[in-house]
């Protein structure tokens, strides 16, 4: 419900992202309902095959926008 991703770009590809859930994961659950059931730990969805197929790609897109926005802010100051 945060509406903001706290973890850094690439987090879902590392060991931390294989264990912990992200804001993107939770938001996808609310939008798509039939996926991403784990509340804190992502291993349940990974083991049971309930992670949305686009989870990693969606996470990458969200964190890329954040990185671009921060870069644009620094350029315009």
């Amino acid at each position: 419900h945060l509406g903001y991703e706290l973890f850094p770009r690439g987090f879902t590809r590392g060991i931390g992202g294989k264990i912990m859930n992200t804001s993107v994961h939770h938001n996808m659950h609310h939008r798509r309902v039939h996926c991403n059931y784990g509340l804190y730990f992502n291993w349940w969805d990974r083991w049971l095959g309930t992670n949305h197929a686009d989870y990693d790609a969606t996470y990458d897109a969200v964190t890329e926008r954040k990185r671009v926005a921060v870069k644009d802010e620094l350029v315009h100051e």
Side-chain angles (χ1 to χ4, degrees), residues 1-5 22-32 36:
H1 306 140
L2 185 61
Y4 183 81
E5 184 52 61
T22 65
S23 293
V24 169
H25 186 273
H26 188 71
N27 291 339
M28 288 179 79
H29 166 72
H30 282 287
R31 280 196 319 257
R32 302 210 165 88
N36 297 12

Side-chain angles (χ1 to χ4, degrees), residues 4-29:
Y4 183 81
E5 184 52 61
L6 298 174
F7 293 110
R9 186 169 173 240
F11 179 77
T12 64
R13 310 264 186 224
I15 189 69
K18 305 296 183 213
I19 298 171
M20 299 296 297
N21 273 332
T22 65
S23 293
V24 169
H25 186 273
H26 188 71
N27 291 339
M28 288 179 79
H29 166 72

Side-chain angles (χ1 to χ4, degrees), residues 8-67:
R9 186 169 173 240
F11 179 77
T12 64
R13 310 264 186 224
I15 189 69
K18 305 296 183 213
I19 298 171
M20 299 296 297
N21 273 332
T22 65
S23 293
V24 169
H25 186 273
H26 188 71
N27 291 339
M28 288 179 79
H29 166 72
H30 282 287
R31 280 196 319 257
R32 302 210 165 88
V33 184
H34 300 292
C35 64
N36 297 12
Y37 296 105
L39 181 57
Y40 299 109
F41 302 109
N42 191 257
W43 69 65
W44 293 112
D45 286 309
R46 291 185 186 276
W47 285 346
L48 298 173
T50 54
N51 253 359
H52 191 279
D54 293 334
Y55 170 51
D56 288 327
T58 302
Y59 183 90
D60 291 344
V62 166
T63 55
E64 179 64 21
R65 285 195 307 263
K66 183 173 79 171
R67 189 174 74 86

